[in-house]
Amino acid sequence: MKETIFEQVASAASVLKLDLSAEEFALFAEDREFSEAGMEAVQMLLGYLSEKKQQTTIQTLLKMSRLPTKAPKTFENFDFSLLKGKDVERLKVLSSLNAIYSHRNLAFIGPAGTGKTHLAQAFGYACCQHGLKTYFIKASELRDRFTAARRSGKTDSCLNGLVRPSCLIIDEIGHCAFDKENTRLFFDLIDRRYNKEGSFNMIFTSNKNPALWREDFEEDATLCTLDRIFDDATVFKLRGESFRGKKLETVSLQTGRVPTVEPAVTKE
């Protein structure tokens, strides 16, 4: 059902954080004998300002997310035609963001070049487009951040910053090892997010089956960590050839010695 012009004004005012209801605007317009064109002008102005504010918010969220912005990975530019199987539709429906509203974690598992990071970043990009704070970090960067926080005595601040986003994406689990102290911090991070309120989830990518993730952590708490991650989660296992190099062009050239040109002999 289409909104009335008064409801549209009220919606735009809400985005702009203006205290103006549909009823109040209707009374205001009636008292001042606004024409239909006058009311439309007000609606267009507030609509423009609210859209401008929303786009500014989205750009800020994208910048803070650490997702690529020059060539963003989105669901729209992911080639789903390259995937085969009866569950491809379950991948396509991820763009609805149902997973974040139902607090369902996601894991993309598979060899390099099968689209794991693209799909994870596409979900994060969609979150930003809907005003949800997102943060992308590689597992190796997370490990280094934990180490630096321990040395500076700022582990609480570090964890708080990673708990705050609605969607936290940890890329390439299994590409680095976490020592005992960093494993404990990883558990604390997962535990705090597990008990977080509101719309939230976590996304992981890895070339290892989750059952093997324990190999990269040095603490008995790893089992508890995995229990919390996969308590309510969907794991997508991607198999097949790498998508990378599809536009690779190979040019073969052969080099050899340049033949020596003998000087011409002039007969006298």
Side-chain angles (χ1 to χ4, degrees), residues 8-58:
Q8 291 176 35
V9 167
S11 296
S14 177
V15 172
L16 296 168
K17 299 190 182 304
L18 299 175
D19 184 13
L20 181 64
S21 66
E23 181 182 1
E24 185 177 3
F25 176 60
L27 291 172
F28 180 85
E30 184 179 358
D31 289 343
R32 286 157 181 77
E33 299 181 351
F34 273 23
S35 64
E36 184 176 354
M39 289 188 287
E40 288 179 350
V42 173
Q43 183 274 323
M44 289 178 62
L45 175 60
L46 292 183
Y48 165 76
L49 293 175
S50 65
E51 177 64 22
K52 182 179 179 181
K53 182 177 181 180
Q54 288 175 325
Q55 289 303 315
T56 299
T57 300
I58 289 171

Side-chain angles (χ1 to χ4, degrees), residues 21-156:
S21 66
E23 181 182 1
E24 185 177 3
F25 176 60
L27 291 172
F28 180 85
E30 184 179 358
D31 289 343
R32 286 157 181 77
E33 299 181 351
F34 273 23
S35 64
E36 184 176 354
M39 289 188 287
E40 288 179 350
V42 173
Q43 183 274 323
M44 289 178 62
L45 175 60
L46 292 183
Y48 165 76
L49 293 175
S50 65
E51 177 64 22
K52 182 179 179 181
K53 182 177 181 180
Q54 288 175 325
Q55 289 303 315
T56 299
T57 300
I58 289 171
Q59 292 307 311
T60 300
L61 288 172
L62 285 171
K63 184 177 181 180
M64 294 173 64
S65 72
R66 300 177 77 243
L67 292 169
T69 53
K70 278 192 175 181
K73 301 292 192 295
T74 68
F75 288 116
E76 288 74 22
N77 61 29
F78 184 82
D79 191 352
F80 286 97
S81 68
L82 297 174
L83 299 178
K84 309 297 179 185
K86 62 181 181 180
D87 293 324
V88 173
E89 289 301 318
R90 295 195 64 184
L91 268 177
K92 291 181 179 180
V93 81
L94 289 178
S95 60
S96 71
L97 302 185
N98 176 67
I100 199 167
Y101 292 108
S102 61
H103 307 162
R104 193 166 187 80
N105 295 328
L106 303 173
F108 299 101
I109 311 298
T114 50
K116 304 184 303 295
T117 298
H118 187 135
L119 289 166
Q121 290 185 350
F123 190 93
Y125 187 87
C127 285
C128 291
Q129 293 292 323
H130 286 79
L132 296 167
K133 189 173 183 181
T134 301
Y135 196 74
F136 175 87
I137 188 168
K138 291 186 178 297
S140 57
E141 294 174 325
L142 181 64
R143 175 204 59 191
D144 295 343
R145 187 169 298 186
F146 282 161
T147 300
R150 284 163 46 201
R151 289 173 179 170
S152 62
K154 296 181 179 179
T155 55
D156 282 343

